[in-house]
Amino acid sequence: MLRFVLEELSDFGDYAGNQKLRDLLTFSNDERSRIRLSDVRLSPDGRHIHVLLRQPKVGLMTFDKYERHQLALNSKKLDVWFKGGVPIVDVCYLDHPHNKGNGTGAVAVVVFENGKAEFWKFLECKTGWYLLQTSELCNSPQARVVSVCACSSLLVWCEERPASESSPAHSSTRNKLRYCVCRRDFEVEDGAVTLGGLKIILHNNPKFTVISSGDNVHLLPNLKAKPQLCISKFFLTWSPHHDFFTISTTSKNTPIKKLSAKESDFRRLITDCLGYLSALEPPEICSFSPTGCGGLLLLLGTGWLCLLQKDGMLRHVYKLADNFTPQQDTHASLYMYMNTVGLIVGKTLHLIEVNCGRELQKIALKKDGLFYANQAERRTPHLLLETGLFMIVEKDFTVKLLGSSPAEGVNPGALMVEAVFEEACKYYQQRSLSNTQLTVDNLKKGGRFQAPISLASILRNYLISGFGRNETEVLQNGGSEHIAGKEKLMCSLEGELRALVSLEELKGSLVRGNVEEVEAVCETLVEKEVVRLLSSTELDKEALLYLNSIFSIFPSQAWRAAQAALQLHFNGEGTLSSRAPPDVWKTVLSPCPNSFLFANGQLKLSHSLKGDYNCKVKPAASTSSGLPVFELLCQSVFHFQPSWLPRFLELSQQQQGSAVLGLSLASSSWGLSSGRAGEGGENNVPLYKRALWVLSSLNPDRQQRQDLEVELLLVSGRPNAILQALRTLMDKRQWERVTQVAHQFCKQSPLLNKEIFTTLLCEVAQHRELDPYLELLWALCPEDYTVTTILNLVLKNLPSHSSCASSPPGPFADPDSSQLTIGQLKPLLRKVLQRETKPSQRYADILQSPSYPPPALPRQPTERVSSMSDVNADSAPCSSMDPSFYPETPEQTSPANTNIQRSKAALPADPIGFA
């Protein structure tokens, strides 16, 4: 069993000045004297540690590791103090030792804010660091360097130019564009450093952090200052060899634009992109790290770990838990080692496989850590902690039980004998007609059953002495047929024997292992068991209880195992996908047991799921047979990735729909009936109701779970659920969201369109909060609605007279009143009236015939006048209208339309009879 562990490389005892180094790395509670890990630099060979001191003293301290310890006694350290109070920007390595025999050593450049650069070289034969050269990087003595990096044979830095050299404009935006990015070629020789002339890569730009990665230089916006401008919504990548800029953003997977580096004015460079960038709201960059091959690792504020590839593509690799909140005091370190990414957030170390985004392992640290690159071992993660330098290696924790000594007190043969008897006892108890409990002692006594004894003998010979000597003795006695039977039995039992031996090895490793080894064994075992159970053709009561106990005892391990079994992948764009085989989804989507349901197919809750989702009492069967698999997975999703719950429900419905469409999967093996989506049977509760039950049972506070509840209802796509979600949004007064949902789902069916429009029209008659959205709502009016229908609905849902008693008398309402007016309904009535006055296509042939003109309509049909007078008797504004102006349509008398003419208070939880 392979697991990653920390292996110590050094406790700093082999570094010169190790006690001072330990004191610096021992984090103090005093923030002024605290050394941040971001101010620690390590050389590519791991022999030199530089600590940048910011406050209260400004300087640089160096700690070196010598091949010969006696040389460290007279070493010359590269310690820089004060320098006139000028802070140090960074320390960059220009070279690393390729041939120690020739005496070559590392070359480092120390860059100060005032533009001064000191080039130092480490020579172990001369015991220490020696100054090669001091140079001025900037042309202007007033320039201030803010970031620097070394890329191949280039020094690239970002400097702040004084106001006199920048644009004369004094606007706040242009004042931020007073920086420029410069470069100088360098060449390291034996005793000196040759610098080329200064060239400006980019000018009139904001403050950038320059990062070198392979042959590319990335220009990231300042992470500390977060201006609300479009210039902070993107970053640049400069390729010196190809001489072009790439504009990218964290909200888009592909580069926005590629431009030639001949255009060095930042404002002209992004002019064409300003309109597009102003509409973006990309997540902020919390931390970054170069990959060494031209790419860049980015940790975003949304919790996503992304990889910016060399070609400019941004790929989402791994998503942290939903409770990740970026904070300024939260330490984060990341680095890429071949195909593995090391990520430290707080005091948790994550090891992630880059190609598939799978988390290999999670390690808890006692203190904050810092990843660094080791030139000699690029594949292995290296870590700097407060106590020393460490390397993360893979170790095998498999324990060989069969080779253990007798002193350990383990007798595999005896254990196998007992296991065989227990299994045989369980097997025959299930098939026994007697109520008497069958025990192992009953099988052994009196020779009642000889088969387990023979089988145990075979197992004992297999584990202890083998069959060589026994076969010889039996053959001498003429028992060749008996030996042949034994060999045949052994071949059939080979798989079971290996499984039993592996089980004993696992028991031994749990008994003799330390805490880390036991945790590793448990996590691997949980993953195997969850995958095995979900891959089984059918889960019985005992297997379901066993699965429930796994999720209860090992919640985090079971969640990772479920992800592996279902092969879940979240692509970062709001969709969840799965590559699990149909057999696994068949187990996951198995219907609820009978003990979970009433006769009408509803879950045993204190309130029906159709109206109120507050769960007061859990199903009585949950303690006896365990929760179904789908409910278990919903619980895990809610605990570890709550934002995935609607997407998981959507994925489950897709898998269930594909199973129903397939003839082979729509059989009784899936438990799906011939009803809609296979939910017509007693046990087939809709998946969204099962997910809502989980949500209500885990979080009884409805106010906290309403947003997630609405998403589940909408994802289900059911008319009843959509109307329930619409009512919830109306109760929360989220009118903009209400209109969005109405426009999205009114196209689903004409009947649902009627219900949604009726509900919203009744709401409009109650108050004036929907006035800004009336034009959008009138567009939802069904084709078969008439003016009479609309007026009846409005009149029956107007507020009661008691609530309007304080309103002033007269035909005109108070400007601040919430009473609906004819002026608001006028656009809707005009639209419906124009539709009604169009000639009916039903009588088009009669209208076109010259021999049979249509008969004239009666001027005043008495029956219709009386009916309309009764309808509009309670409405003063409508009493003056000619009732014959509104012809009654057949739809008004249809049974479906009777559900439309009702008030909001009379709307039940399920207003329409959908399956």
Side-chain angles (χ1 to χ4, degrees), residues 542-555:
E542 292 183 358
L544 188 59
L545 279 174
Y546 177 42
L547 186 62
N548 275 260
S549 63
I550 291 177
F551 275 81
S552 175
I553 300 173
F554 307 101

Side-chain angles (χ1 to χ4, degrees), residues 83-124:
K83 291 294 182 183
V86 179
I88 297 175
V89 178
D90 209 342
V91 177
C92 301
Y93 280 90
L94 308 183
D95 194 11
H96 57 84
H98 292 286
N99 192 352
K100 298 179 182 178
N102 296 335
T104 59
V107 176
V109 55
V110 183
V111 180
F112 297 85
E113 272 194 4
N114 59 4
K116 181 181 290 186
E118 294 183 354
F119 295 87
W120 296 79
K121 187 172 185 178
F122 179 79
L123 295 175
E124 185 172 354

